[in-house]
Amino acid sequence: MFSWLMAKYYDYMLRDAEEKCLKDWRKILLQDLSGDVLELGCGTGANLAFYPNTINHLVLAEPNLSMQQQLDLKLKNYSHLPASVLVCTAESISTPDNSFDAVVSTLLLCTVNNPALALSEIHRVLRPGGKLFFIEHVAAQNNPERLKWQKRIEPFWKILQCNCHLTRDTEANILQAGFIIQKINRQSMRGVPAIVRPSIWGIAEKL
Ligand SMILES: C[S@@+](CC[C@H](N)C(=O)[O-])C[C@H]1O[C@@H](n2cnc3c(N)ncnc32)[C@H](O)[C@@H]1O
């Protein structure tokens, strides 16, 4: 029920954030992608508009049927992209080891059940030197008052927002999974409630 509603109104709910910052972050982050690319948890396809024509093959993975339906509708406008759709979770990616040059994870690692397992799967499917391109909202490590509110609200938020967690330390999780961070921006995601604003976006390389 919530996942159907989320899929139907996802683009509408994020509209303000997209206009205020997310579109810019997506555009800058994805502009230099090339080779074989996997996007995990691609949702309604918010990144489709920003994929450059240097991509060889784009695999769009999404486990949720309602999101897939929205994605299919949007994909019709992007027939120039060399894209295929895959049904799998980030914790169990149904492709061989070393099969991608890049993995894209935007607003995903807040939602997966097991971020460490998802990151170890991302590491597995990336080729040596392959890169993880991420945009994630995270715990407010440098703002104790906000972190306190994130912890208080998270139990309810998770239920209403399809398992979205507010207190994940995604930067530490990326490092623990065996990546080095090449570029990172720590910014406030404008256009969303204060508890969701602390964000990181950038590129991590498989060691
Ligand atoms: C907040 S949305 C982000 C959608 C899109 N990536 C974006 O940037 O707008 C999270 C997406 O991750 C998907 N998802 C949830 N759990 C997942 C998992 N374990 N593995 C992969 N995708 C998952 C959801 O169905 C949803 O489409």
Side-chain angles (χ1 to χ4, degrees), residues 126-139:
L126 277 171
R127 296 181 179 131
K131 290 172 186 165
L132 167 63
F133 292 72
F134 59 88
I135 299 174
E136 301 290 347
H137 69 87
V138 293

Side-chain angles (χ1 to χ4, degrees), residues 179-194:
F179 290 90
I180 50 162
I181 303 228
Q182 273 195 341
K183 282 185 195 164
I184 190 158
N185 300 279
R186 296 179 186 86
Q187 282 181 275
S188 177
M189 194 191 304
R190 285 167 292 130
V192 292

